[in-house]
Amino acid sequence: MSRTRKITTDDILDAAERVVARLGAAALSIDAVAQEAGVSKSRVVYDHKSKSGLLEALIERQIGREQERQEAAIKAAADTPHPELFGRIAGAARTLNEVDKAVAMAVCASMSGEQKVQEQIRDWVEADLKAMADGPRPKAALMAYLALGGFCNTEFFSFYRWGEAEKQEILEGIRKIYISFPED
């Protein structure tokens, strides 16, 4: 007799990521996630209460992953002029996978109507802005951070696909913004 596989919250979120990556943010539903995970709709509702709750959990998970990557990159950038900024720049050099892009699209699609999602993203941006302000040369860091944000959004939303050489050149230009920006 085979043992029934225990489904975890992570399994459900993995299924939600697959749904969003394969079908897009608009296709995210309790039914689609339940089918993808091979569980009942009531199991997904039990864990996440609603589509909004599922989306919040998905975004919270992605933010957590991104923060872990960011912390490692900041630690690796300890010997740079502004580790918080230069760590984020180094992190932007990685190639995004389809899940990262799909979750970014889900965030974008839900921003207008989901207060909790807006708060999650606002808190993340506020923490980044504080990190820029608390380091050396805060005005220069802010300008470089804003340029990095534009670059990252272009990547996340697939508005343009940069070649690897172009990408590295752009990131080096963002570093130069920090180094050369007048701090008066």
Side-chain angles (χ1 to χ4, degrees):
M1 192 167 182
S2 67
R3 187 180 288 183
T4 305
R5 182 172 77 96
K6 182 176 166 102
I7 301 291
T8 67
T9 299
D10 278 338
D11 293 329
I12 292 172
L13 292 177
D14 290 344
E17 286 178 349
R18 289 191 302 272
V19 167
V20 170
R22 190 176 61 250
L23 304 172
L28 183 68
S29 69
I30 298 290
D31 287 330
V33 172
Q35 185 175 4
E36 180 70 29
V39 299
S40 68
K41 181 178 171 181
S42 62
R43 170 60 202 267
V44 178
V45 171
Y46 177 80
D47 282 358
H48 299 288
K49 311 300 180 238
S50 66
K51 178 181 172 180
S52 294
L54 180 62
L55 183 60
E56 289 167 14
L58 187 63
I59 292 166
E60 188 173 301
R61 180 184 192 189
Q62 190 67 16
I63 288 172
R65 287 176 179 159
E66 199 55 43
Q67 286 172 329
E68 287 175 10
R69 283 191 283 260
Q70 199 172 60
E71 287 169 16
I74 290 166
K75 192 178 280 189
D79 63 343
T80 64
H82 193 299
E84 291 280 350
L85 172 64
F86 281 64
R88 284 168 175 79
I89 293 169
R94 78 180 177 89
T95 301
L96 300 174
N97 64 39
E98 291 310 309
V99 170
D100 293 331
K101 291 178 183 181
V103 172
M105 290 302 284
V107 169
C108 187
S110 65
M111 286 299 285
S112 65
E114 300 292 337
Q115 185 66 29
K116 176 72 174 164
V117 172
Q118 290 175 8
E119 289 171 15
Q120 287 174 302
I121 301 302
R122 192 175 297 120
D123 289 346
W124 189 12
V125 171
E126 284 178 10
D128 276 2
L129 292 174
K130 182 175 179 350
M132 296 306 106
D134 288 348
R137 306 187 70 237
K139 288 180 186 176
L142 176 62
M143 292 301 123
Y145 173 80
L146 293 172
L148 181 62
F151 170 77
C152 289
N153 285 331
T154 301
E155 288 268 293
F156 269 122
F157 300 119
S158 298
F159 294 143
Y160 187 80
R161 295 206 186 266
W162 305 103
E164 196 55 39
E166 282 180 300
K167 188 177 193 178
Q168 293 307 318
E169 189 176 319
I170 291 166
L171 294 174
E172 184 55 33
I174 293 171
R175 289 181 191 92
K176 287 179 182 176
I177 290 171
Y178 176 78
I179 305 252
S180 65
F181 191 83
E183 191 74 28
D184 30 336

